[in-house]
Amino acid sequence: MAFFYDLNVFQENNVNHTPPPPNTIFDKYFHIKLEFNHVLQLCYTENVHIPYYTINLSYMILRSLILYDCKDCSRFVHSMLSFIGLPPESIQGLVSDHVFRYGWRMERDPMNLDYKVLTMAINITVVTPYDDHRQEIDQAISESTSSAITRFTPASKDAIQRLEKMRFVHDDQCKCMICLEEFSIGVETMRMPCGHLYHGECIVKWLETSHMCPLCRYEMPCD
């Protein structure tokens, strides 16, 4: 249905104003700011673009996971972009051709050597020709609106507070799939009712935006 995807990846200039996460003496991070726009194109005497919806997300991720671990990089970008509804074939191209390569360019730029946190902005715009596919688009708008409302409904504060807290000892899931950082033995984690573990700070921030588990889309209670 989409007419074309317009992708722009760039480094924001205000790197000095992006604070590193706490307790990160030696680690370097990418602060990834994702903006997704869906616009409808009306074709009459001239093209008119009407904004349909916009999603803004922000992630802090270890640079090493983007630059040196292709498997984890693919998982992270796939999770990030599938969350906004991009199809798998588009996601794969974005991983190999844009996010990974641009991350390397930022890392190797001599101007960035002294910064612990580099801000990578990703702007994605999907343009849909409304006139050519009005019936299908009306149906897709109805379905995606319902899906977007459901997806970005926060979990209830009571449900978040009732999450099981536990010290990490050993589990098949060895890392938090929100920040992609491996769990240290003895670190406090939170377990979702579906069984998936996350750092407490990570999952609380996530559930304040979406009531769904990032891995399996298990739905937490909402207010």
Side-chain angles (χ1 to χ4, degrees):
M1 183 184 69
F3 183 64
F4 67 85
Y5 293 91
D6 181 35
L7 170 71
N8 187 20
V9 183
F10 60 94
Q11 179 179 346
E12 284 200 345
N13 293 327
N14 59 337
V15 287
N16 281 318
H17 304 296
T18 306
N23 302 321
T24 55
I25 299 176
F26 302 105
D27 295 329
K28 292 186 176 181
Y29 283 76
F30 278 127
H31 177 211
I32 296 180
K33 297 173 66 175
L34 172 65
E35 179 179 340
F36 176 76
N37 299 286
H38 186 185
V39 300
L40 302 180
Q41 182 183 46
L42 304 183
C43 305
Y44 296 111
T45 55
E46 59 181 357
N47 289 338
V48 178
H49 287 178
I50 300 178
Y52 171 40
Y53 66 84
T54 297
I55 299 172
N56 291 284
L57 300 172
S58 180
Y59 302 88
M60 196 73 74
I61 182 171
L62 281 168
R63 257 186 255 178
S64 58
L65 294 178
I66 290 286
L67 301 176
Y68 304 110
D69 194 327
C70 294
K71 187 175 180 180
D72 276 342
C73 174
S74 296
R75 282 181 181 173
F76 168 73
V77 177
H78 186 277
S79 175
M80 178 177 65
L81 298 182
S82 62
F83 192 66
I84 63 175
L86 285 187
E89 59 272 17
S90 299
I91 294 173
Q92 186 58 41
L94 292 172
V95 173
S96 59
D97 297 334
H98 297 285
V99 177
F100 181 77
R101 292 183 182 179
Y102 197 83
W104 267 109
R105 286 175 57 187
M106 291 175 65
E107 174 72 8
R108 294 174 177 176
D109 189 334
M111 299 291 292
N112 294 330
L113 292 180
D114 295 331
Y115 293 111
K116 291 179 65 65
V117 178
L118 298 177
T119 299
M120 179 193 299
I122 304 174
N123 290 340
I124 303 172
T125 299
V126 173
V127 179
T128 301
Y130 183 77
D131 303 65
D132 296 341
H133 306 280
R134 181 167 298 183
Q135 184 175 354
E136 304 99 288
I137 292 173
D138 284 343
Q139 180 180 354
I141 288 175
S142 176
E143 293 175 352
S144 61
T145 300
S146 175
S147 174
I149 292 173
T150 300
R151 185 181 301 165
F152 292 100
T153 301
S156 69
K157 293 182 179 179
D158 182 62
I160 296 175
Q161 291 174 354
R162 286 189 283 108
L163 287 178
E164 178 187 1
K165 295 181 181 180
M166 55 183 297
R167 295 289 178 182
F168 182 78
V169 179
H170 177 73
D171 194 277
D172 291 337
Q173 182 189 336
C174 62
K175 64 179 64 176
C176 172
M177 293 309 295
I178 296 177
C179 67
L180 295 182
E181 185 175 345
E182 291 190 1
F183 294 124
S184 302
I185 299 298
V187 71
E188 186 177 271
T189 62
M190 285 187 174
R191 185 189 295 276
M192 291 276 290
C194 55
H196 291 126
L197 290 176
Y198 302 96
H199 290 119
E201 183 179 345
C202 294
I203 192 59
V204 168
K205 184 177 180 180
W206 179 279
L207 292 174
E208 287 174 348
T209 300
S210 171
H211 66 295
M212 296 182 179
C213 172
L215 279 174
C216 68
R217 298 298 188 262
Y218 172 89
E219 295 188 21
M220 293 279 285
C222 306
D223 289 325

